[in-house]
């Protein structure tokens, strides 16, 4: 329908719009009393919608059973439907009788005299909710409104366009009337209603349309011609009838979705793809939820979903995995075959049965153990003594199972690549009848991805032309280029050689590359001998000279040698020879670069390997952290890590012998010489390939080792039960009082506390200020909050007090609380001892690991759970919950778990690898402990554990909770988790997933509920319930009749229920499980010995706590937590900066940055004992000191300030063999650095300040490269002794050098008492300069870079963004800031005042505490933005004048 059609009538208002309309000229609102129906200026109001509503309501009543639809009603409904079809057809015919704009335009082209009638004023305007401001007559806005929100750019654009005369009034035609209506300004619900009304208006017929003949002014013949051209409109009635049928189908209500709510808009129509992916709501996520397969299996095997292994490949896989795992297992020789059998069985469980690792470890444990009967010497005095004992050897542990799972994925990738190569080879053979014996022999024997890559490179080299033809035939490439990677871009050259006469020279070498490689392998086949031609190489080359490709015989010979070298380099067997040699005899060495020479000094962490040589691969494999740091240093350009072959000369000579002929003649010598040259070329290429491959494989292996070390460390953290209160059983959740001073100082800052009940509720919190104990002997009273703490403990009776914080001051708080507990005799809750007497013990105070609490306190989860609590109170809550259940706290972190450090080298490993290993640890421990499924449904904190349950994942876990809530919110038995159509129960999981997760989701046993099954509260899998019931019956000594009677009366679980009721669980210990196991294996071929032990234990104590006791932190862990230092980063002998806190005549008190306090005794103050300490040092002074003693438990230290001690630099002692360190190179480098310092001719200044470094500008930038934004280096200046230079990091790779003029110097080498910068800023010392100048500017840099108008790219990127924005929004103006890398401390202010305006930029300078624009300073970003708008407006005003 055209705009002309819409103009003929007026829109009908809905109920909301009926209340208010707008005058088209003034824009003022007008009130209407009621909805107008039937007064629409000729528009007939159709009743289709009402009738549809009646039909749907009737259908709904029928469906709901309120009425029964009889035949008469059916006939009547059909009649009404036919009438509606007929009426719609008539409406379409009338509508099509009118001509739209395009038809009228075509008529006008054919008849120049024809004139279109154009309405001068449209009758219909789109009605929008709310007040619409007249764009031409809007009020003028002030300075603050320029460049503001969505309209600010439009205003500036209008000012600018008026100034440039871009805005010109143009008459608006009919189509222009609606040209600006692009956006739909509706809310969700009203938008749908309004959209329906608009659509209704659009499709209503216009009964007062002028006739075709009247509209066109054409006669009958002209109309007939027009109909022949455009048709009569009846040609497509058949299509309209189909459309009517489809509309009827759509109108017919869906019995499963009567309201039509499930059709139409989908989530992907509303949310961005990234949002759907984050919420796991994509189609792929929904598919994972619906497929009955463990979620982790689906994700891991996604790439190999269509790969099906044959029986031969399955057998090959078990051998392949066993061979990879055996060297690390170090099993006895007689266990190798059982080990391989066990691996094959595990693969069967994973692939065929789709069992996850926890299920296999828990319920198929017998297949992970090799049990053998060992005969014993008969006992003559005991005839009933057993004749043998069972020797059990554990073959696979849980970590091994995860390794098998990973190796299965790698094997699938191997098979997939092998299949692709095989198909490619078969396709090549279909094009050309040939055989490649090398390919056919090597492909089945390839067992690594490297070997398959070698075969692929060989195939592409040998048959490049055929592959190009194949690519063209199959369409897998463009212009003859295959989609497979090719070894190099010069294959056309080798193809030309292979097809020319020069290849005769290659054949004349007397041995093929494959035959030579076979000789080098030694073990494969008999030796291949080299045959010498009768001609001299030069003579043969001259004879086969091909012009114009080659101008001389020497060129021909050179090309032949290159070709032969390439064939050797691409021979799969030859690469196998080199690879074996490198892994057996390769060594890794480090060589410092010029950059590393300057940057890596003896205090640098990379100095450990600066001159490292001759490191065996096996040695580095045992030190993964060392090799990863070497690669990190190489990435930073500080060292080169190289791989070389030991005894390379001997290795090359051996290869010469395998290639050369045994003949003795001048011709033979000449050919042997050429063969050696070709081999040298090949080895040069192979060395590069092997070196790169070895480094990559070593890197991968080291990363895997570090990731596994993180897994083991995480397992230790997870493997601890809740803190056990005195007198309670392991697993009891304690009530906790947690306290923390954060970073505060005792006595000056508040101490926050929180009381958390054993169910996790935070019932009380508050603050203490003074918890110091008094001294009755001196008459000193207790601190004012000591009594409050005692009252709180007596009232709440906590089981434990937890303390933690961020500094060494927390150690004092811990000691303070301990002293209060001791002196005030504060005791915990009462409990009953072994004799039945009530007793209490002293309340225990523990230092709590706060790695989770630090992340929780500022997290979104903390704000949602405790929005009213202070940040440090939330920290205390997390401390308490950690004591109550560490595993739940770690599970609640999700992917943030990688923020916790488990290994010092964790930062060198990709996060995905770390997360993958940490997830396996969480899966292991969650399934060991099990999850109460009903608690998980009602408690989100417990629900965090569900994704780690065997068979589940985040998607299936959310689905499980959702379905359980739909089913009623309670799970009575494990069987309730699967679908039951008879009971109308939806399935929370499918059968396969249920089989995996059933035993790890437990349900509390309720003896009062008939449906409750005791075994549902145990680790026993439902498949073994019959075994458990059989064991219970045998323990109760019931015969079959008693069992049948009991079960008929009370159900299948009656026997176990009776065992519990009679409190006879201990009777199961009398059962001889060995006989049970033998019967099961003999009769049912099931190995269940370990399973029977599990059943016996669970019958006595269901889901017993198997984790270890809560682990208290060690001294080193507390030291690191409070100080951030480790044994490697802070130890005795190190020279560190300290801040002097107190100076006396005979001692000095100082403090490290990490909070450790220490003392300098009198003999360690100076080499000159006659000089008082007060003459040398002052309070708040920062000096260098050597640590002479460090007490890691008390967090105290002793220092030395003696000059002779400070001259002896700390150097870490490292054990090295004699040939593992290049001492000669180290000595030469030191001498070279001394010479460079001497050549400079300047006396190096030394300033006593921790930030002073004897650097030049380039060295300062290198030093700050890895530091944070705003970090500073003070260094000597090249301008003379009365200047200092300050270099600070503005941003990445941007540094500002500040010249500091020193005034009022007492001597040439002392620092001035007045420091001047730029003639404008004066400071009294360096600390004041850093804080009030550099840090103040750094704060302003942070402010502008965090502003919403800042763009992170270059100036060109910012201008491109401005241009794109104004093209998309022509009426708007926009501005943005970006950094100026060429002028550190400056920023570009780029702006564009409309689509047609020029790009402009002004410079913003960062000065202390302000921004400077056009010589005017602004204190903050808001003032800067408003100032810019005012300046811009004034500039435009000046141009207009």
């Amino acid at each position: 329908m055209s705009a002309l059609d819409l103009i003929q009538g007026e829109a009908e208002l809905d109920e909301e719009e009926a209340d208010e309309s707008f005058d088209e000229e003034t824009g003022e609102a007008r009130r209407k009393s009621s909805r107008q129906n039937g007064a629409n200026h000729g528009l007939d109001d159709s009743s289709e919608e009402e009738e549809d509503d009646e039909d749907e309501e009737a259908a709904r009543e029928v469906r709901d059973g309120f009425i029964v639809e009889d035949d008469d009603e059916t006939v009547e409904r059909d009649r009404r439907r036919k009438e509606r079809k007929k009426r719609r057809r008539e409406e379409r015919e009338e509508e099509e009788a009118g001509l739209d704009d395009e038809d009228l335009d075509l008529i006008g082209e054919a008849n120049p005299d024809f004139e279109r009638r154009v309405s001068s004023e449209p009758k219909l305007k789109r009605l929008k909710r709310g007040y619409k401001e007249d764009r031409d007559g809007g009020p003028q806005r002030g300075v603050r409104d320029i460049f503001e929100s969505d309209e600010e750019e439009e205003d500036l654009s209008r000012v600018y366009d008026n100034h440039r005369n871009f805005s010109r009034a143009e008459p608006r035609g009919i189509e222009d009337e609606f040209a600006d209506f692009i956006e739909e300004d509706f809310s969700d619900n009203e938008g749908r209603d309004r959209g329906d009304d608009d659509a209704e208006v659009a499709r209503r017929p216009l009964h007062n349309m002028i006739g075709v003949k009247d509209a066109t002014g054409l006669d009958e013949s002209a109309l007939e011609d027009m109909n022949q051209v455009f048709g009569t409109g009846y040609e497509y009635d058949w299509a309209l009838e189909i459309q009517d049928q489809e509309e009827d189908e759509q109108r017919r209500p869906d019995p499963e979705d009567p309201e039509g709510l499930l059709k139409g808009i989908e989530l992907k129509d509303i949310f961005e793809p990234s949002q759907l992916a984050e919420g796991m709501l994509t189609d792929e996520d929904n598919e994972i939820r619906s497929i009955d397969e463990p979620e982790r299996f689906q994700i891991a095997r996604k790439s190999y979903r269509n790969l099906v292994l044959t029986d031969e490949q399955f057998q090959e896989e078990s051998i392949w995995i066993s061979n990879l795992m055996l060297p690390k297992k170090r099993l006895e020789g007689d266990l190798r075959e059982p080990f391989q059998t066990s691996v094959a069985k595990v693969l069967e469980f994973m692939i065929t049965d789709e069992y996850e690792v926890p299920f296999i470890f828990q319920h198929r444990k017998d297949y992970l153990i090799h049990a053998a009967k060992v005969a014993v010497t008969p006992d003559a005095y005991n005839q009933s003594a057993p004749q043998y004992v069972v020797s059990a050897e554990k073959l696979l542990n849980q970590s091994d199972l995860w390794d098998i799972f990973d190796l299965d994925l790698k094997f699938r990738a191997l098979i997939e690549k092998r299949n692709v190569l095989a198909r490619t080879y078969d396709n090549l053979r279909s094009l050309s009848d040939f055989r490649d014996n090398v390919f056919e022999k090597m492909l089945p024997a390839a067992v690594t991805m490297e070997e398959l890559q070698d075969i692929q490179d060989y195939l592409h080299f040998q048959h490049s032309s055929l592959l190009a033809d194949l690519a063209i035939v199959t369409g897998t490439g463009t212009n003859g280029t295959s989609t497979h990677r090719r070894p190099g871009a010069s294959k056309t050259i080798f193809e030309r050689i292979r097809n020319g006469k020069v290849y005769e020279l290659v054949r004349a070498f007397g041995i093929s590359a494959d035959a030579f490689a076979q000789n080098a392998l030694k073990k494969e086949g008999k030796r291949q001998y080299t045959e010498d031609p009768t001609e001299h190489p030069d003579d043969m080359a001259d004879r086969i000279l091909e012009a114009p490709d080659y101008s001389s015989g020497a060129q021909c010979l050179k090309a032949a040698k290159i070709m032969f070298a390439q064939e050797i380099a691409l021979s799969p067997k030859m690469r196998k020879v080199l690879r074996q040699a490198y892994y057996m005899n390769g060594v890794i060495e480090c060589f410092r670069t010029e950059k590393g020479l300057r940057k890596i000094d003896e205090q640098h962490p990379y100095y450990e390997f600066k001159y490292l040589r001759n490191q065996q691969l096996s040695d580095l494999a045992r030190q993964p952290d060392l090799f990863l740091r070497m690669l990190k240093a190489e990435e930073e350009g500080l060292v080169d890590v190289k791989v070389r072959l030991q005894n390379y000369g001997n290795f090359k000579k051996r290869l010469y012998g395998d290639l050369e002929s045994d003949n003795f003649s001048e011709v033979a010598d000449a050919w042997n010489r050429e063969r050696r040259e070709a081999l040298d070329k090949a080895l040069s290429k192979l060395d590069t390939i092997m070196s790169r491959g070895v480094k990559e494989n070593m890197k991968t292996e080291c990363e895997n080792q570090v990731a596994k070390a993180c897994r083991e460390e995480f397992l230790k953290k997870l493997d601890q039960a809740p803190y056990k209160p005195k007198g309670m059983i392991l697993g009891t959740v304690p009530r906790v009082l947690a306290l923390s001073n954060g970073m505060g100082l005792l006595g000056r800052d508040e101490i926050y506390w929180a009381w958390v009940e054993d169910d996790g509720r935070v019932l009380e919190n508050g603050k203490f200020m003074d918890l110091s104990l008094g001294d009755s002997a001196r008459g000193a009273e207790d601190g004012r909050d000591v009594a409050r703490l005692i009252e709180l403990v007596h009232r709440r009776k906590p089981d434990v007090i937890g303390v933690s914080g961020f500094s060494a001051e927390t150690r004092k708080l811990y000691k303070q609380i301990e002293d209060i507990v001791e002196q005030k005799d504060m005791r915990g809750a009462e409990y009953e001892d072994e004799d039945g007497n009530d007793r209490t013990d002293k309340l225990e105070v523990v230092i709590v690991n706060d790695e989770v609490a630090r992340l929780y306190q500022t997290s979104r989860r903390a704000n949602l759970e405790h929005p009213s609590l202070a940040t440090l109170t939330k920290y205390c809550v997390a401390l308490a919950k950690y004591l109550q259940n560490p595993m739940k706290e770690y599970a609640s972190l999700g992917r943030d778990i990688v923020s916790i450090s488990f290994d010092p080298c964790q930062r060198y490993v990709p996060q995905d690898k770390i997360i993958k290993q940490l997830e396996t640890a969480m899966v292991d421990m969650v399934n060991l402990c099990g999850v109460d499924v009903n608690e998980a449904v009602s408690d989100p904190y417990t629900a965090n554990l569900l994704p780690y349950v065997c068979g589940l994942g985040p998607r299936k876990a959310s689905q499980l909770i959702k379905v359980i809530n739909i089913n009623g919110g309670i799970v009575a038995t494990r069987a309730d988790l699967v679908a039951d159509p008879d009971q109308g129960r939806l399935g929370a999981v499918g059968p396969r997933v249920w089989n995996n997760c059933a035993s790890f989701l437990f349900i509390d046993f309720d003896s009062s509920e008939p449906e409750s099954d005791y075994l549902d509260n145990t680790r026993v899998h439902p498949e073994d319930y019959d075994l458990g019931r059989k064991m219970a019956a045998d323990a109760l000594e019931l015969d079959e009749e008693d069992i049948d009677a009991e079960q008929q009366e009370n159900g299948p679980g009656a026997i176990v229920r009776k065992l519990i009721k009679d409190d006879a669980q201990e009777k199961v210990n009398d059962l001889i499980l060995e006989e049970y196991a033998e019967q099961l294996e003999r009769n049912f071929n099931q190995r269940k010995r370990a399973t029977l032990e599990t059943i016996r234990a669970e019958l006595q104590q269901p889901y017993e706590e198997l984790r270890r006791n809560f682990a208290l932190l060690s001294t080193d862990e507390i030291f690191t937590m409070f100080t951030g230092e480790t044994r490697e980063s802070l130890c005795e002998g190190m020279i560190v900066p300290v801040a002097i806190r107190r100076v006396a005549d005979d001692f000095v008190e100082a403090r490290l940055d990490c909070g450790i306090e220490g003392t300098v005794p009198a003999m360690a103050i100076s080499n000159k004992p006659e000089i008082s300490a007060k003459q040398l040092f002052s309070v708040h002074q920062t000096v260098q000191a050597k640590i002479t003693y460090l007490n890691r438990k008390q967090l105290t230290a002793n220092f030395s300030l003696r000059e002779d001690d400070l001259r002896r630099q700390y150097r870490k002692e490292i054990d090295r063999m004699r040939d593992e360190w290049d001492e000669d190179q180290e000595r030469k480098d030191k001498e070279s650095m001394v010479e460079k310092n001497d050549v400079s001719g300047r006396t190096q200044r030394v300033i006593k300040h921790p930030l002073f470094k004897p650097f030049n500008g380039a060295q300062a930038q290198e030093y700050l490269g890895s530091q944070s934004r705003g970090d500073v280096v003070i260094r000597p200046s090249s301008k003379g002794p009365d200047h200092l230079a300050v270099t600070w990091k503005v941003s990445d790779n941007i540094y500002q050098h500040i010249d500091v003029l020193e005034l009022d110097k007492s001597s040439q080498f002392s620092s001035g008492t007045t420091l001047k910068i730029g003639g404008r800023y004066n400071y009294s010392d360096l600390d004041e300069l850093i804080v009030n100048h550099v840090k103040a500017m750094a704060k302003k840099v942070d402010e502008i870079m965090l502003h919403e108008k800042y763009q992170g790219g270059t100036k060109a990127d910012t201008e491109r963004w401005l241009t794109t924005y104004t093209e998309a929004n022509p009426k708007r103006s926009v501005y943005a800031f970006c950094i100026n890398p060429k002028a550190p401390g400056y920023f570009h202010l780029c702006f564009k005042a409309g689509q047609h305006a020029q790009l402009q930029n002004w410079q913003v300078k960062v000065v202390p505490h302000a921004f400077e624009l056009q010589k005017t300073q602004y204190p903050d970003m808001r003032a800067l933005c408003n100032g810019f708008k005012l300046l811009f407006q004034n500039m435009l005003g000046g141009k207009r004048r």
Side-chain angles (χ1 to χ4, degrees), residues 18 26 37 70 79 106 203 214 266 285 380 593 1096 1291 1332:
T26 65
N37 292 327
D70 56 21
R79 184 186 61 80
L106 289 172
R203 69 171 173 262
D214 296 336
E266 298 181 3
D285 294 319
T593 61
R1096 174 155 60 185
S1291 187
N1332 293 331

Side-chain angles (χ1 to χ4, degrees), residues 1393-1410:
Q1395 180 182 10
H1396 304 291
Q1398 291 183 350
L1399 283 163
Q1400 300 184 58
N1401 82 88
W1402 293 348
Q1403 293 296 309
V1404 177
K1405 182 182 179 181
V1406 177
V1407 297
H1409 307 292

Side-chain angles (χ1 to χ4, degrees), residues 712-726:
E712 295 303 318
E713 186 63 29
F714 191 32
L715 271 175
K716 292 178 183 177
K717 294 176 182 291
L718 293 173
D719 189 15
Q720 47 180 341
Y723 175 87
K724 188 175 81 71
K726 295 269 182 76

Side-chain angles (χ1 to χ4, degrees), residues 157 161 1363 1366-1372 1392-1398:
S157 177
D161 289 347
T1363 302
T1366 51
E1367 287 175 354
N1369 305 274
K1371 297 291 186 180
R1372 296 181 180 175
K1392 196 172 189 293
Q1395 180 182 10
H1396 304 291
Q1398 291 183 350

Side-chain angles (χ1 to χ4, degrees), residues 10-22 30-37 40 45 49 124-125 127-130 185-201 204:
E10 295 178 353
E12 183 175 348
L13 302 176
D14 63 11
E15 293 178 359
E16 294 181 352
E17 287 177 311
D19 297 333
E20 184 175 277
S21 64
F22 299 91
R30 297 186 304 210
R31 304 293 298 179
K32 290 191 177 181
S33 59
S34 63
R35 176 170 177 163
Q36 299 177 2
N37 292 327
N40 293 326
D45 185 14
E49 186 172 348
L124 176 65
K125 287 206 173 189
L127 302 179
K128 297 181 72 174
R129 184 173 301 279
D185 299 328
F186 301 132
S187 64
D188 292 342
N189 294 330
E190 68 184 37
R192 284 193 292 271
D193 299 338
R194 191 70 52 82
D196 293 342
D197 292 342
D198 291 345
E200 189 67 25
V201 171
R204 279 179 180 145

